Amino acid sequence: MDDSRPFSPVALLGMGYMGGSLALAAREAGLVDRVVGFDRDPEAGRVARARGIVDEVSGAAEAAVAGAALVILATPVASLGALATQIAPAVRPDALVIDIGSVKAPVVQAIERTPLAGRYVGCHPIAGLEVSGAAHAHAGLYEGKPCYVCPGPRAQAQAIAAAESFWTGLGAHVVRLAPEPHDALMAAASHLPHVAAFALADSLSGVADALVAGIPAASPPTSLRDTTRVAASSPVMWRDIFLENSSALLPLVGALERSLGALRAAIEAGDGAALEALLRNARETRRRVVKSA
Amino acid sequence: MDDSRPFSPVALLGMGYMGGSLALAAREAGLVDRVVGFDRDPEAGRVARARGIVDEVSGAAEAAVAGAALVILATPVASLGALATQIAPAVRPDALVIDIGSVKAPVVQAIERTPLAGRYVGCHPIAGLEVSGAAHAHAGLYEGKPCYVCPGPRAQAQAIAAAESFWTGLGAHVVRLAPEPHDALMAAASHLPHVAAFALADSLSGVADALVAGIPAASPPTSLRDTTRVAASSPVMWRDIFLENSSALLPLVGALERSLGALRAAIEAGDGAALEALLRNARETRRRVVKSA
């Protein structure tokens, strides 16, 4: 271990947008001077190598983690438990292991059942976008953003401190939160908005031809642009997030169905008072939870 | 009439964000050098006067339109028919009358039943935002934006040409479209996205305390920020738009309810294949109808 760079070398498992940006950020912050990557998709490796995200691409996850001081698990959330089991024998005993998945309770439970327990700290930086792939990765993605650090019951204090120091070193604002409350919070703050955006975009597929014909795609109404923006996100990644966090998410989807039904019923009935009351409650809630535009 | 400024003086009925911005834009473009305003809300008049949006505030709509070469109806859509009837006797015989409401068929039908028929041309500039009030008005709102010009069957060719020339003079891109297809297009491109945003924000009111406690309101997840942005719009204005355009909007709300129900059912059943197929269809549709992020 190089004392001046306690997180170097890094093993980056999964070289997509989030992981690629994290490696770039760690390098730019001077925390890391060597990154070895692995991805099941060889094209991701080629892009990451060409963009200087990784110094070397390994042919296997076990080979990538050998010797690493920091192992970053940046694959889809549903894959993390099996990946941790697979690499555990090859991970250095003093290495720190983190993931950056959007759901924490099932991931932390799965990884704490492997020999990595103790050295593993679940993390979730709030910095996604609807783009995906290493080609879009950029070093500034996490700067000034919140990063939830969600240790499970078996995480060692030293590992938690190291994980928090890593994120702080990137310019992120660390928020400590246990995995279950994290998942409940994210179900409302991020997963339900994605459900709404995907459902809206899906429902428009029947009128897409008319929209393409009648609306300039490069300057659509801002309402259409913004409400559907995250529906351009990765279907595989969001399939996994929705399924992994279903227990926290489903009651909120039910509430959204009821709100939508109530709005529709008020329009159908021509009930302006009920409709206005619902819209006022919506505006009031929006103003409470989001301060800026 | 001043031949060098064929639209001056202007009567601005309704001095909110959209109307106020239109008066500022017309003035800045040199199309207009005098604006007389009226608003039922005296505070709107004070703000419009203080910001130089209008030169004079009238105490009655009839007084505001007397002598005007261009009458801009910028009040909520549900009020436009009655307002047109009220002012008709006072409007100059050669004046052009436009409105800027988001729904066109019922408005055009109502106004073409008044003596203003012939001189009236329904218009809809695509330039809203979630803010409201003359305090936010700005001259650049319509520049480079599409403006639908939706004449009814009784509109005179000269009036249509004048309306199009006015919008072109402001830098807007004129799109001619009959009122009914305009309303069908807007139901999908704007009104349904507003329904989705209001329903989502309403459904979050039960967890708003947890969101406020757990999420920095100034830097929320971008998904939450963008999907709910237009839920901060005027409840009264959107109540009227939803009710006025209910025949075009309700079938789309039904489709949204079905998409949301299918998404929920796939999560409940743990059906990854069905869920991924829906998310892929959503992403594909989003990419077709909106080219940029």
Side-chain angles (χ1 to χ4, degrees):
Chain A
M1 186 193 280
D2 175 349
D3 282 348
S4 73
R5 298 188 197 275
F7 301 110
S8 201
V10 162
L12 177 64
L13 305 186
M15 294 182 280
Y17 175 64
M18 302 286 289
S21 295
L22 187 51
L24 287 176
R27 205 187 282 278
E28 185 166 291
L31 298 176
V32 159
D33 60 4
R34 179 168 166 76
V35 181
V36 180
F38 169 75
D39 199 295
R40 288 194 312 179
D41 174 10
E43 178 60 17
R46 276 189 290 273
V47 173
R49 186 73 189 77
R51 294 204 54 210
I53 292 169
V54 297
D55 301 289
E56 184 187 331
V57 174
S58 276
E62 295 88 334
V65 302
L70 170 64
V71 176
I72 300 172
L73 309 178
T75 59
V77 286
S79 67
L80 291 169
L83 179 63
T85 301
Q86 177 194 337
I87 61 170
V91 173
R92 230 168 68 181
D94 63 337
L96 170 67
V97 181
I98 65 173
D99 80 302
I100 54 172
S102 304
V103 183
K104 293 270 71 84
V107 171
V108 171
Q109 282 164 26
I111 298 183
E112 289 207 336
R113 282 193 294 264
T114 75
L116 296 179
R119 289 170 284 165
Y120 161 74
V121 180
C123 301
H124 178 210
I126 306 294
L129 249 191
E130 71 279 13
V131 300
S132 43
H136 295 99
H138 63 98
L141 183 61
Y142 301 105
E143 195 171 343
K145 304 289 172 56
C147 178
Y148 292 92
V149 171
C150 308
R154 299 187 60 189
Q156 292 162 2
Q158 193 185 352
I160 300 169
E164 294 189 344
S165 145
F166 176 71
W167 288 107
T168 302
L170 299 180
H173 300 302
V174 167
V175 182
R176 181 93 66 96
L177 195 60
E180 292 75 14
H182 166 275
D183 290 358
L185 186 64
M186 285 303 119
S190 168
H191 307 169
L192 188 69
H194 278 79
V195 164
F198 278 117
L200 174 60
D202 181 67
S203 79
L204 288 171
S205 63
V207 292
D209 288 343
L211 282 171
V212 170
I215 298 283
S219 60
T222 56
S223 56
L224 177 68
R225 183 194 67 199
D226 288 358
T227 50
T228 60
R229 184 178 59 77
V230 295
S233 306
S234 161
V236 169
M237 178 176 145
W238 282 96
R239 175 200 67 194
D240 289 354
I241 291 171
F242 292 160
L243 293 177
E244 293 283 331
N245 202 25
S246 63
S247 60
L249 181 57
L250 280 170
L252 299 177
V253 178
L256 175 55
E257 288 184 284
R258 286 191 296 279
S259 288
L260 184 58
L263 210 162
R264 189 247 310 136
I267 297 173
E268 262 175 359
D271 186 343
L275 185 53
E276 187 184 335
L278 193 153
L279 304 186
R280 284 192 186 283
N281 185 56
R283 179 165 75 165
E284 178 57 30
T285 302
R286 205 278 174 179
R287 288 182 169 175
R288 282 191 64 203
V289 302
V290 179
K291 289 296 174 249
S292 61
Chain B
M1 188 195 279
D2 174 350
D3 284 348
S4 72
R5 300 191 197 273
F7 301 109
S8 200
V10 162
L12 176 64
L13 306 187
M15 294 182 280
Y17 175 64
M18 302 286 288
S21 295
L22 187 51
L24 287 176
R27 205 186 280 276
E28 185 166 292
L31 298 175
V32 159
D33 59 4
R34 180 169 166 75
V35 181
V36 179
F38 170 75
D39 200 295
R40 288 194 312 180
D41 174 9
E43 177 59 18
R46 274 190 290 272
V47 173
R49 186 72 190 79
R51 294 204 53 209
I53 291 169
V54 297
D55 302 288
E56 183 186 331
V57 174
S58 276
E62 295 89 333
V65 303
L70 170 63
V71 176
I72 300 173
L73 309 178
T75 58
V77 286
S79 67
L80 292 169
L83 180 63
T85 301
Q86 177 194 338
I87 62 170
V91 173
R92 231 169 67 182
D94 64 339
L96 170 67
V97 180
I98 64 172
D99 80 302
I100 54 173
S102 303
V103 182
K104 293 270 72 86
V107 171
V108 170
Q109 283 163 27
I111 298 182
E112 289 205 338
R113 281 195 294 265
T114 77
L116 296 179
R119 291 170 282 165
Y120 161 73
V121 180
C123 301
H124 178 210
I126 305 294
L129 250 190
E130 71 278 15
V131 299
S132 44
H136 296 99
H138 63 99
L141 183 62
Y142 301 105
E143 194 170 344
K145 304 290 171 55
C147 178
Y148 292 91
V149 172
C150 307
R154 300 187 61 188
Q156 292 163 2
Q158 193 184 352
I160 300 169
E164 295 189 344
S165 145
F166 176 71
W167 289 106
T168 303
L170 299 182
H173 301 303
V174 167
V175 182
R176 180 94 66 97
L177 194 61
E180 291 75 13
H182 166 275
D183 290 358
L185 186 63
M186 284 303 119
S190 168
H191 306 169
L192 188 69
H194 278 80
V195 164
F198 278 117
L200 173 60
D202 181 65
S203 79
L204 288 171
S205 63
V207 291
D209 288 343
L211 282 170
V212 169
I215 298 283
S219 60
T222 57
S223 56
L224 177 68
R225 184 194 64 199
D226 288 358
T227 49
T228 60
R229 184 179 58 78
V230 295
S233 306
S234 161
V236 169
M237 180 175 144
W238 283 96
R239 175 199 67 193
D240 288 353
I241 292 171
F242 292 160
L243 293 176
E244 293 284 329
N245 202 24
S246 63
S247 60
L249 181 57
L250 280 170
L252 299 176
V253 178
L256 175 55
E257 289 185 282
R258 286 191 296 279
S259 289
L260 184 58
L263 210 162
R264 189 246 311 135
I267 297 174
E268 263 176 359
D271 186 343
L275 185 54
E276 186 183 336
L278 192 154
L279 304 186
R280 285 195 185 281
N281 185 56
R283 180 165 74 165
E284 178 57 31
T285 302
R286 206 279 174 176
R287 287 182 170 174
R288 282 191 65 202
V289 302
V290 179
K291 290 296 175 248
S292 62

